[in-house]
Amino acid sequence: MEEQKIIIVDDHKIFRKGLRFLLEDMEGINVIAEAEDGKKFLNLLEISTPDIVLLDINMPKMNGIEAAIEAMRFHPKLKIIVLSMHGEEQYYDKMVEAGVKGFLLKNSDVDELSAALQTVALGGSYFSQELLVGILNKRKEQKKPSEIVNFTDRELEVLQLICKGFNNNKIADTLFISIRTVERHRANLLSKTNCTNSIAMVMFAVKHNIIEI
């Protein structure tokens, strides 16, 4: 993985400094800036070009949702990983619509932080499994997959692995199929769920009780 330039956006200084300390100990990671609210983050984007942004949701002056929407409007290729806590699930749909690439719990360990950064850096999407479990526990819709979309058995297997954060190579190895076949299944899943990216598809699967975590 090539060196990734990171900006941390969070209103808690101690958390930012702690996260920076962890990141700077990782190979291939370069923290180029920090911001304490959404407005300062947007100002940073005028002079800095990060590869990945670690973005808090609840902040003063401008929250993470507004900041993500504005940032993606002018920098559509920017990769944003949302830093979340339990209880903030109501904001996820708007963050997904804004085009974020991942959701990570603030209390995640170093290994999961590293996995999220690597996955997103390589063009994938990352969703904390603990967050998915929390959403599943609170779900209200209990429709079966067949009542939502007519998936094939193989498509459901691929969807399950996507929700676990597997990339195309790992899905191909796990299911003993070619990468091209995985790409075809992924394209079919996006079309059938009317989603534009993997994160939106994960949210769809969770909301409709299609996956098991």
Side-chain angles (χ1 to χ4, degrees):
M1 183 177 72
E2 297 182 359
E3 182 180 82
Q4 298 296 303
K5 293 178 288 186
I6 308 290
I7 289 181
I8 303 170
V9 188
D10 192 283
D11 60 325
H12 292 94
K13 184 175 181 179
I14 292 178
F15 177 81
R16 285 201 318 272
K17 298 303 180 184
L19 182 55
R20 182 170 193 146
F21 176 79
L22 293 175
L23 291 169
E24 289 180 339
D25 198 40
M26 294 180 182
E27 186 176 353
I29 298 296
N30 178 20
V31 180
I32 61 172
E34 300 175 21
E36 61 189 41
D37 60 61
K39 287 188 176 181
K40 290 186 177 180
F41 161 55
L42 294 179
N43 290 336
L44 279 175
L45 288 183
E46 296 179 2
I47 58 174
S48 304
T49 308
D51 297 301
I52 299 175
V53 177
L54 295 172
L55 179 66
D56 188 20
I57 294 178
N58 287 308
M59 297 180 292
K61 298 182 181 179
M62 178 183 283
N63 63 38
I65 300 170
E66 297 169 317
I69 292 172
E70 286 298 307
M72 296 301 293
R73 181 180 301 171
F74 296 103
H75 306 276
K77 294 184 179 180
L78 188 63
K79 298 171 181 176
I80 297 177
I81 298 176
V82 175
L83 299 172
S84 178
M85 296 186 296
H86 287 300
E88 295 180 329
E89 292 84 357
Q90 70 268 29
Y91 303 119
Y92 291 176
D93 285 338
K94 290 184 178 180
M95 299 297 274
V96 169
E97 289 174 7
V100 305
K101 297 298 183 182
F103 290 86
L104 188 66
L105 269 177
K106 281 191 170 185
N107 63 354
S108 297
D109 59 27
V110 176
D111 288 340
E112 184 165 24
L113 174 61
S114 177
L117 291 170
Q118 289 185 35
T119 299
V120 170
L122 294 173
S125 300
Y126 190 88
F127 212 116
S128 167
Q129 293 296 292
E130 189 175 342
L131 278 175
L132 284 181
V133 171
I135 296 172
L136 284 168
N137 289 337
K138 295 179 180 179
R139 65 180 178 245
K140 295 181 180 179
E141 296 173 304
Q142 298 294 330
K143 294 180 180 179
K144 296 179 181 179
S146 59
E147 296 174 337
I148 305 297
V149 178
N150 184 25
F151 296 108
T152 66
D153 290 341
R154 181 61 88 186
E155 286 170 350
L156 286 172
E157 289 177 328
V158 172
L159 179 57
Q160 178 77 37
L161 295 177
I162 290 173
C163 291
K164 289 183 177 180
F166 286 27
N167 60 27
N168 286 353
N169 288 335
K170 195 169 183 180
I171 292 173
D173 291 341
T174 301
L175 299 179
F176 302 103
I177 56 179
S178 69
I179 294 177
R180 181 167 294 182
T181 300
V182 175
E183 291 173 346
R184 187 176 70 248
H185 286 312
R186 186 186 286 269
N188 289 340
L189 286 165
L190 288 170
S191 177
K192 287 184 176 182
T193 58
N194 196 30
C195 292
T196 58
N197 55 52
S198 295
I199 283 288
M201 194 158 57
V202 170
M203 291 297 294
F204 180 94
V206 170
K207 282 185 175 181
H208 298 293
N209 194 21
I210 294 172
I211 64 168
E212 295 179 0
I213 301 297

